[in-house]
Amino acid sequence: MEKYSADQDQLLKTFRNACHVFVFTGAGVSRESGLPTFRDLDGEWRQYDPMTFATMEGFLQNPAMVWNMYRSRQKQIAEAQPNPAHITLARMEEHYPEFLLATQNVDDLHERAGSRRMVKIHGDVGQIRCIDCGEIYDAREFELPDEFDENTLPKCPDCSALCRPNIVWFGEYVPQEPLMAAVNAACTCDLMLIIGTSGEVSNGYGLAEYALGHGAKIVEVNPSEGALTHYAHFWVPEPAGIALPRIWEMC
Ligand SMILES: [Zn+2]
């Protein structure tokens, strides 16, 4: 592994020579926009037990309480703005012929920055899903109250069952379709970017190993060392909102 400062030319060459780029982003990118993640349990979230608001069991015990927490989360996200890392990734997408961004983040900051060729592997806080038939809806199709009670919980228009936030909770599998898209991109890319994630989710290791197996270069942008850093050919130990625009400017 080469430190960024040690060989900037090689790093820039890696970006310039790439045709097929796969980007894997995580909580760090959202955090730079002021959004703590569910798993960070920062601030107001710390008072809640994740087993209550991030498991199916907790949801079924008190759906109104869980929905109220997600409503406040949706409002936080609506007030947050994409940062220079989100914006630079959207510009990269326009440049490279083959490109996929797979994010673990459940907010919509990548989309609002302009990313289109992307998948969300941990769900989307802007979507709701029927717990019975599994149908997924855009939350904006529902008139969700600011404060839920037992009578105002969102119900499936198709089957009338209770709906839940479309987020991967603890103990749940990630959805197959976005995961397979990420695996395919990792298996065929020539540059994998790991941005703002420690990679400590099970699929993080697999994605990095698929990319290495295909002969891709791996660049990690992360202020602190994570579980995937040892896979990286280049590690840029800085916040993505600072490092990515500077690197892309020089490319
Ligand atoms: Zn349904």
Side-chain angles (χ1 to χ4, degrees), residues 129-135 137 155-163:
R129 184 169 94 231
C130 174
I131 64 167
D132 200 5
C133 74
E135 191 66 31
Y137 303 96
K155 297 284 169 61
C156 177
D158 268 358
C159 75
S160 307
L162 180 62
C163 289

Side-chain angles (χ1 to χ4, degrees), residues 2 9 49-50 68 74 87 101 106 125 128 130 138 168 176 220 224 226 231 249:
E2 302 163 75
D9 285 349
D49 176 1
N68 285 333
Q74 286 169 341
I87 292 163
L101 188 158
V106 297
V125 84
I128 72 177
C130 174
D138 188 324
V168 176
Q176 276 303 300
E220 175 167 335
S224 50
Y231 289 113
E249 180 100 337

Side-chain angles (χ1 to χ4, degrees), residues 47-211:
Q47 63 185 295
Y48 302 114
D49 176 1
M51 292 303 122
T52 306
F53 69 82
T55 63
M56 190 63 177
E57 292 73 22
F59 176 68
L60 291 176
Q61 271 167 25
N62 197 339
M65 185 191 72
V66 173
W67 262 116
N68 285 333
M69 283 188 289
Y70 281 88
R71 282 299 275 161
S72 77
R73 182 66 176 175
Q74 286 169 341
K75 283 181 204 145
Q76 273 185 342
I77 290 170
E79 285 161 14
Q81 295 301 324
N83 67 55
H86 295 106
I87 292 163
T88 304
L89 289 169
R91 293 205 177 122
M92 285 183 185
E93 176 181 326
E94 288 170 9
H95 175 79
Y96 290 110
E98 301 277 340
F99 184 97
L100 186 77
L101 188 158
T103 187
Q104 301 164 72
N105 300 333
V106 297
D107 57 63
D108 62 354
L109 294 177
H110 280 304
E111 294 98 310
R112 278 157 57 196
S115 288
R116 293 296 174 266
R117 285 184 276 168
M118 63 172 289
V119 291
K120 291 176 143 175
I121 57 178
H122 285 167
D124 186 335
V125 84
Q127 294 178 334
I128 72 177
R129 184 169 94 231
C130 174
I131 64 167
D132 200 5
C133 74
E135 191 66 31
I136 293 169
Y137 303 96
D138 188 324
R140 287 168 300 190
E141 292 171 33
F142 290 73
E143 281 188 25
L144 300 179
D146 277 348
E147 186 89 24
F148 288 96
D149 59 42
E150 278 167 32
N151 302 314
T152 56
L153 292 167
K155 297 284 169 61
C156 177
D158 268 358
C159 75
S160 307
L162 180 62
C163 289
R164 58 170 273 181
N166 187 30
I167 299 223
V168 176
W169 282 334
F170 292 105
E172 296 181 334
Y173 291 108
V174 301
Q176 276 303 300
E177 206 176 303
L179 181 61
M180 288 319 295
V183 167
N184 283 334
C187 288
T188 48
C189 70
D190 47 32
L191 170 59
M192 176 176 179
L193 303 180
I194 298 170
I195 316 272
T197 174
S198 66
E200 273 156 4
V201 285
S202 53
N203 38 50
Y205 299 99
L207 293 171
E209 277 171 6
Y210 288 135

